[in-house]
Amino acid sequence: MNNLNYTKKKEKYKHLSKEMLDKIESEYNNFIFSRKKSKKKTEFMKELSKLIGTTLSNLYNIINDGLVEVLAYDLTKRIEFSAEVAWQHRNKKSIESNSSKRESSKEFIKLIIKDLESEYNINSVDEIIHDLIQNRQDEIEGLETICTATFYNYVEAGKIDNFNKSLLPLKGKRKSKNEHKEGKRKRTNINSIENRSDEANSRLEFGHWEGDTVVGSSQIKNSGACFTLVERKTRFQIVIKMKDRKAETVLKAIKKIKKLYPELKDFKLQDIFKSITFDNGVEFSKWKDIEKFLHTTIYFAHPYSSYERGSNENGNKLLRLFLPKSCDMKQYTESYVMRANELINTKIRKILGYKSSLELFTNELTLLTQSAI
């Protein structure tokens, strides 16, 4: 048996190339029709399976799929293996299997599309599928389900009739986490993120937040702003609408937290806000007053290092679905902003084990209540 540089990784039948099937044809037919056999068929098949890089059972399946009856030179009939027949048989089975799966999962696919088309949907396909399977069993009872990769494969192959690809979230490029640059406006007398505790960095302890502001269009004078806070462990987000993003306005917004989020009224602020990490914006220049009011510790990320507040940045990105960069935020009511934030907090998230931020945040508040008792 000739040695070829095939991978030693054992592959399934559907992953074998045409070249590998041709090799099987050559080796198998030479063995079967050789007059003098130096080894038994079982031993030969084991060696061939190792050479090809597949399992012995797969090799038998491949050969059975490719057996054909041919006429020998003396006009006698004989059974041999045909790589071409095996290849065609594999493709036919693949097409039939995919077609059958797609047809039987049609109702499940309709549910996915229905969620994608809903007016305020901000869930990805993956999050919708896992939400259906984990939390909405009554809706999918008796239905054939598919995974996220299969859904996207159907979309790319154009196998979902009249599907609008604009419903799918855009695939943005991730920014590399470069070393922080030294900014021109380097602050002094601040608590650097480098001093932040291990409990906050690890996300294992509840109560550590990241904060920022989101503004409207730069082309509109006094277009308003929103103050945002995201809890690092649960990704629960607080959003407060502001008339501008001056330092005094940010401080006033923070003093409204319990009024706007009544679920926090029965707790001490220092139990909810153990630390906050801001960027170096001038709107946080009253950080000492914020520390005093919340009884918290405030840290500052390095300049030009938004990745150090990644949860906050992702939360802002979701908020931009409702408050685009080109908008005049003053045109949106406080109730609209609160409703948008509610949709973000109830969004199913893969990173949270397909649970919502609100669910995990509520659990943490329950634990605080129990510990107080």
Side-chain angles (χ1 to χ4, degrees):
M1 191 176 292
N2 297 326
N3 291 323
L4 293 180
N5 292 323
Y6 288 110
T7 174
K8 294 301 179 183
K9 178 183 178 182
K10 293 185 176 181
E11 300 284 3
K12 293 182 178 180
Y13 179 17
K14 65 179 181 179
H15 294 142
L16 294 181
S17 66
K18 182 63 165 57
E19 180 189 15
M20 290 180 178
L21 294 179
D22 289 337
K23 180 61 179 174
I24 293 173
E25 178 182 301
S26 172
E27 296 289 348
Y28 179 81
N29 291 340
N30 285 338
F31 174 80
I32 292 298
F33 300 113
S34 61
R35 294 185 178 182
K36 293 183 180 180
K37 294 183 174 63
S38 60
K39 59 189 74 174
K40 294 181 179 179
K41 183 178 179 180
T42 302
E43 183 183 354
F44 164 79
M45 292 291 282
K46 287 181 179 179
E47 291 182 3
L48 182 56
S49 67
K50 290 180 180 178
L51 175 67
I52 297 303
T54 190
T55 63
L56 184 60
S57 60
N58 277 337
L59 180 59
Y60 274 108
N61 288 335
I62 294 168
I63 290 175
N64 288 335
D65 288 343
L67 292 178
V68 294
E69 186 178 73
V70 298
L71 288 175
Y73 67 93
D74 57 358
L75 300 182
T76 58
K77 294 181 179 180
R78 70 180 188 182
I79 304 297
E80 65 180 42
F81 175 77
S82 168
E84 185 63 33
V85 171
W87 181 257
Q88 291 176 1
H89 189 272
R90 185 205 76 164
N91 290 336
K92 180 182 178 182
K93 286 202 304 185
S94 177
I95 292 171
E96 290 175 349
S97 175
N98 288 339
S99 177
S100 174
K101 176 78 171 179
R102 190 168 65 254
E103 187 63 30
S104 61
S105 62
K106 186 176 292 185
E107 294 304 314
F108 184 73
I109 292 173
K110 286 181 180 179
L111 289 176
I112 299 172
I113 295 174
K114 181 181 178 182
D115 275 19
L116 286 171
E117 290 177 338
S118 63
E119 184 177 3
Y120 294 113
N121 175 63
I122 55 175
N123 287 320
S124 67
V125 171
D126 183 68
E127 289 162 342
I128 290 172
I129 288 176
H130 281 81
D131 184 37
L132 284 167
I133 294 173
Q134 294 182 10
N135 307 319
R136 297 156 65 183
Q137 285 287 333
D138 55 327
E139 296 181 48
I140 64 171
E141 185 175 356
L143 300 185
E144 177 82 28
T145 63
I146 59 173
C147 68
T148 306
T150 298
F151 182 87
Y152 276 104
N153 287 339
Y154 288 167
V155 171
E156 292 301 320
K159 293 179 179 178
I160 300 180
D161 295 337
N162 302 317
F163 181 76
N164 183 2
K165 288 187 177 182
S166 65
L167 293 172
L168 298 176
L170 296 176
K171 297 178 181 178
K173 294 182 178 179
R174 292 181 179 270
K175 295 181 179 179
S176 59
K177 296 183 179 182
N178 298 323
E179 291 295 321
H180 62 270
K181 302 175 184 178
E182 293 298 328
K184 293 180 180 179
R185 295 184 303 166
K186 186 175 180 180
R187 285 186 174 184
T188 57
N189 300 322
I190 62 171
N191 201 4
S192 170
I193 192 174
E194 295 174 7
N195 300 323
R196 196 168 65 181
S197 67
D198 292 338
E199 289 80 8
N201 291 334
S202 66
R203 299 181 187 269
L204 296 177
E205 183 180 60
F206 171 75
H208 301 281
W209 300 71
E210 299 169 6
D212 197 9
T213 54
V214 175
V215 297
S217 172
S218 59
Q219 305 299 318
I220 302 173
K221 187 177 180 180
N222 299 325
S223 62
C226 284
F227 172 66
T228 64
L229 282 171
V230 175
E231 202 280 318
R232 284 174 56 78
K233 182 179 180 181
T234 63
R235 272 73 170 184
F236 181 83
Q237 180 166 267
I238 287 175
V239 178
I240 301 174
K241 188 173 182 290
M242 306 184 298
K243 63 179 181 180
D244 54 49
R245 63 168 177 174
K246 294 178 181 179
E248 185 64 36
T249 310
V250 170
L251 180 59
K252 288 180 180 179
I254 288 174
K255 291 181 178 180
K256 291 172 59 179
I257 284 180
K258 280 197 173 183
K259 178 183 177 182
L260 294 176
Y261 293 86
E263 58 265 40
L264 305 181
K265 65 182 178 64
D266 296 327
F267 298 91
K268 295 179 180 179
L269 289 174
Q270 59 263 40
D271 292 334
I272 304 295
F273 301 97
K274 296 175 182 175
S275 78
I276 304 176
T277 302
F278 289 133
D279 66 12
N280 283 260
V282 294
E283 64 268 36
F284 301 121
S285 57
K286 288 187 174 292
W287 62 273
K288 289 185 178 180
D289 295 319
I290 297 173
E291 273 192 336
K292 185 177 180 180
F293 177 77
L294 293 178
H295 303 283
T296 189
T297 302
I298 289 178
Y299 301 97
F300 285 90
H302 295 105
Y304 308 103
S305 303
S306 58
Y307 65 87
E308 293 181 338
R309 298 176 302 99
S311 297
N312 199 191
E313 291 294 316
N314 287 332
N316 291 346
K317 190 183 298 183
L318 291 172
L319 189 61
R320 284 297 188 189
L321 296 175
F322 305 95
L323 302 171
K325 289 185 177 181
S326 59
C327 77
D328 181 356
M329 286 196 183
K330 288 186 177 179
Q331 293 184 353
Y332 295 95
T333 64
E334 187 174 83
S335 60
Y336 172 86
V337 173
M338 295 295 289
R339 173 57 180 155
N341 191 47
E342 181 184 355
L343 290 171
I344 293 171
N345 282 331
T346 54
K347 166 183 165 65
I348 303 301
R349 303 199 188 201
K350 180 178 180 179
I351 197 170
L352 300 178
Y354 299 101
K355 298 181 183 298
S356 71
S357 299
L358 178 60
E359 180 182 352
L360 297 184
F361 188 78
T362 302
N363 290 342
E364 292 292 341
L365 294 184
T366 300
L367 292 174
L368 281 178
T369 301
Q370 293 173 349
S371 64
I373 296 174

